[in-house]
């Protein structure tokens, strides 16, 4: 079976700026994949190359085995892209916009097409706006329509470029329920987002881009284990000082101590040592590893784990 996405040694330059510097990446069918990185890392350029909107200087990209340059029509049919920018035609209603999008892919009028459009509208809470002109919609509603446009031709691969930027919490929850269902039904999902908690909860594997290069590529769980840790935050009664042996392993800020733990077994030993030293805990909180810690470490550091 072909990979859902194959990216091999892709390079893209804009004058002296190298936006993509030899990117190698594969995404498997049915995978929920995260593509993360700071602004300017090359995420949108890579997505644009994937969609055939940007011509690579070198390298190859395939979608479901179809080359995005030599077999553009087939590759484009396999792909649905939700762009970061709000791009829309102001002369049509929501339903007309989706019908026109179907026409781009040669999907003629039929009961099956209309039922699928109705299902998309319902799942994105757009049914009440189906006959509203695009100009009359709020920014969040327009973004929902962009998601709907990417889905009307039932592509096996769906790319979401910052799909929840600037939208309310209710839409985020509705959108992710729908996208999870699509993924369970076999669709491959590629997500870029600055909301790292979304990537952590949704994505099975994650690639992190920095200056056009992949600096991390692994399963979400492995990234959390390798680059983050459990943290124990605690405050001692009466503002007591932490014994020197423990203070060397901890950070102190505004009366609260913070220690990184490799596993929960360390907590028992720590509490026993505090009791021996006569220290009394006033507050204690255990924090789990999160993707934000991983992201900050990799973006600020110079190493890679790809």
């Amino acid at each position: 079976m072909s990979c859902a996405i194959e990216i091999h040694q892709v390079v893209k330059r804009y004058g002296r700026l190298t936006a993509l510097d030899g990117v190698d990446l594969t995404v498997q069918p049915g995978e929920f994949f995260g593509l993360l990185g700071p602004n300017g890392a090359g995420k949108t350029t890579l997505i644009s190359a994937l969609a055939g909107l940007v011509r690579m200087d070198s390298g190859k990209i395939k979608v479901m085995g179809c080359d995005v340059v030599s077999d553009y029509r087939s590759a484009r049919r396999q792909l649905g892209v939700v762009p970061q920018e709000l791009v829309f035609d102001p002369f049509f209603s929501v339903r007309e916009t989706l019908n026109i999008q179907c026409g781009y892919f040669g999907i003629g009028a039929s009961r099956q097409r209309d039922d699928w459009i109705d299902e998309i509208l319902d799942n994105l809470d757009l049914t009440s706006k189906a006959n509203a002109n695009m100009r009359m919609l709020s920014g969040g509603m327009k973004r929902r329509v962009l998601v709907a446009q990417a889905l009307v031709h039932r592509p096996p691969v769906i790319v979401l470029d910052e799909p929840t930027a600037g939208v309310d919490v209710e839409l985020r929850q509705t959108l992710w329920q729908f996208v999870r269902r699509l993924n369970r039904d076999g669709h491959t999902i590629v997500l870029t987002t600055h909301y790292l908690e979304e990537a952590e909860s949704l994505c099975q594997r994650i690639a992190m881009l920095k200056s056009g290069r992949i600096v991390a590529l692994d399963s979400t769980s492995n990234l959390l284990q390798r680059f983050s840790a459990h943290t124990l935050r605690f405050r001692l009664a009466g503002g007591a000082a932490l014994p020197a042996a423990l203070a060397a392993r901890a950070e102190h800020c505004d009366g609260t101590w913070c220690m990184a733990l490799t596993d929960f077994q360390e907590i028992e030993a720590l509490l026993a040592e505090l009791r021996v030293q006569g220290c009394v805990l006033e507050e204690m909180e255990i924090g789990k590893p999160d993707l934000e810690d991983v992201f900050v470490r990799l973006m600020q550091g110079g190493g890679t784990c790809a």
Side-chain angles (χ1 to χ4, degrees):
M1 180 183 292
S2 299
C3 294
I5 297 173
E6 298 176 73
I7 299 172
H8 178 65
Q9 285 297 300
V10 170
V11 174
K12 176 61 183 176
R13 299 184 181 90
Y14 296 98
R16 296 183 178 180
L17 173 66
T18 301
L20 298 173
D21 192 6
V23 174
D24 269 311
L25 183 63
T26 59
V27 179
Q28 300 303 316
E31 194 170 10
F32 206 129
F33 189 88
L35 184 63
L36 308 181
N39 292 330
K43 303 185 301 297
T44 299
T45 300
L46 186 59
I47 290 172
S48 297
L50 181 66
L53 301 175
V54 165
R55 183 61 63 94
M56 300 167 284
D57 292 316
S58 62
K60 285 185 175 293
I61 299 179
K62 292 182 179 181
V63 182
M64 301 299 293
C66 304
D67 191 283
V68 300
V69 176
S70 62
D71 195 8
Y72 172 75
R73 288 181 180 273
S74 297
R76 190 63 185 88
R77 285 179 180 275
Q78 309 299 320
L79 189 67
V81 178
V82 180
Q84 188 174 352
E85 298 80 12
L86 289 176
V87 181
F88 63 95
D89 194 318
F91 299 104
F92 299 104
S93 70
V94 172
R95 187 177 294 278
E96 288 169 338
T97 296
L98 298 184
N99 284 328
I100 292 170
Q101 186 76 6
C102 286
Y104 290 152
F105 292 94
I107 304 172
S110 67
R111 177 63 181 271
Q112 185 179 15
R113 185 190 78 173
D114 292 342
D115 287 347
W116 175 237
I117 287 176
D118 287 341
E119 185 176 347
I120 293 172
L121 292 173
D122 180 59
N123 278 282
L124 294 174
D125 199 19
L126 284 168
T127 302
S128 64
K129 303 293 183 181
N131 297 314
N133 188 280
M134 290 292 296
R135 288 175 295 181
M136 306 304 294
L137 301 182
S138 66
M141 287 290 182
K142 288 177 180 135
R143 191 164 295 281
R144 298 183 198 200
V145 177
L146 294 183
V147 175
Q149 280 184 281
L151 299 176
V152 290
H153 63 292
R154 297 178 184 264
V157 181
I158 302 167
V159 178
L160 306 172
D161 191 2
E162 299 287 348
T164 55
V167 301
D168 57 60
V169 174
E170 184 179 4
L171 171 58
R172 284 188 198 178
Q173 294 175 345
T174 301
L175 175 61
W176 292 136
Q177 287 174 2
F178 188 34
V179 171
R180 280 191 177 103
R181 198 194 90 189
L182 292 171
N183 184 237
R184 287 195 300 270
D185 290 342
H187 291 267
T188 303
I189 311 293
V190 176
L191 169 68
T192 76
T193 179
H194 286 296
Y195 299 109
L196 298 183
E197 68 277 8
E198 289 182 347
E200 184 176 339
S201 65
L202 292 166
C203 300
Q204 299 152 356
R205 251 189 343 135
I206 288 174
M208 293 190 183
L209 278 174
K210 178 181 178 182
S211 301
R213 290 175 175 266
I214 293 179
V215 296
L217 176 58
D218 209 336
S219 68
T220 306
S221 59
N222 284 347
L223 286 173
L224 290 172
Q225 289 174 7
R226 292 169 62 186
F227 291 92
S228 189
H230 294 280
T231 56
L232 178 66
R233 294 180 176 86
F234 58 93
R235 185 188 299 270
L236 298 179
L242 195 64
L246 294 177
R249 299 168 45 201
E251 295 181 0
H252 187 250
C253 181
D254 295 331
T256 298
W257 294 92
C258 180
M259 298 181 67
L261 307 173
T262 56
D263 57 55
F264 289 118
Q265 293 180 355
E266 290 188 54
I267 297 176
E268 184 178 351
L270 172 64
L271 294 178
E273 189 166 352
L274 288 173
R275 284 194 297 269
V276 169
Q277 298 292 335
C279 299
V280 178
L281 287 176
E282 190 174 80
E283 297 177 9
M284 185 176 73
E285 176 185 353
I286 301 174
K288 67 176 184 177
D290 64 49
L291 199 59
E292 185 172 339
D293 292 337
V294 178
F295 185 85
V296 171
R297 287 192 183 193
L298 286 168
M299 293 306 120
Q300 292 181 349
T304 68
C305 68

